[in-house]
Amino acid sequence: MEQAIATERGGYQDEACALAEQAQALAREHQERGHQAYALRLLGDIAARRDPPEGEPAVAHYQQALALAEALGMHPLQAHCHHGLGTLYARRGQGEQARPELATAIEMYRAMDMTFWLPQAEVVLAQVGEVD
């Protein structure tokens, strides 16, 4: 999974997507639901960061990851999924959908003292608030 992340950050989105799909398939095959949730979130991130964003696949991946994360009690991953969804919606000009996702991410980041991601979500929420 780390290779997929590094590949995506290097700008090789197609290759990163293939690696993340492999990771997700292996996790599903071995019934490693936590790893499957992380792989689904990564697939959502990759689809959301494309130019233009692949909105429907990204939303589907984030929602699947979120459902697994909720079932498994993976609170940090839940916050990241809400952040990803909110950022995607903001990027697509969907402020009404972005606001609650970002607000949830911010609330969760604060509750877990995850200060690295908190300002990133706050900036996107402020931008969405200014647009509408």
Side-chain angles (χ1 to χ4, degrees):
M1 189 123 45
E2 283 113 22
Q3 185 178 4
I5 294 168
T7 303
E8 195 266 340
R9 287 184 182 157
Y12 300 98
Q13 292 179 326
D14 292 337
E15 293 86 346
C17 188
L19 290 168
E21 286 172 349
Q22 281 181 320
Q24 197 256 349
L26 282 171
R28 188 176 340 124
E29 179 182 324
H30 293 279
Q31 298 179 359
E32 296 175 342
R33 295 174 66 208
H35 288 125
Q36 185 178 356
Y38 276 111
L40 285 164
R41 181 218 166 191
L42 179 57
L43 285 166
D45 286 345
I46 293 166
R49 290 183 185 138
R50 291 190 184 268
D51 192 19
E54 295 178 351
E56 297 310 313
V59 169
H61 290 306
Y62 282 134
Q63 288 176 340
Q64 290 172 5
L66 187 56
L68 272 173
E70 287 173 353
L72 298 171
M74 300 172 74
H75 301 290
L77 183 58
Q78 290 174 47
H80 290 319
C81 289
H82 285 294
H83 186 183
L85 277 167
T87 302
L88 172 65
Y89 289 139
R91 193 167 170 213
R92 294 174 71 190
Q94 298 173 295
E96 291 300 314
Q97 291 92 340
R99 282 186 202 93
E101 297 294 345
L102 292 164
T104 299
I106 289 167
E107 181 181 319
M108 293 183 83
Y109 287 150
R110 283 187 181 137
M112 293 180 283
D113 200 27
M114 295 176 68
T115 58
F116 179 82
W117 293 278
L118 185 58
Q120 298 169 32
E122 290 172 334
V123 166
V124 178
L125 182 59
Q127 291 170 345
V128 171
E130 294 170 6
V131 173
D132 291 349

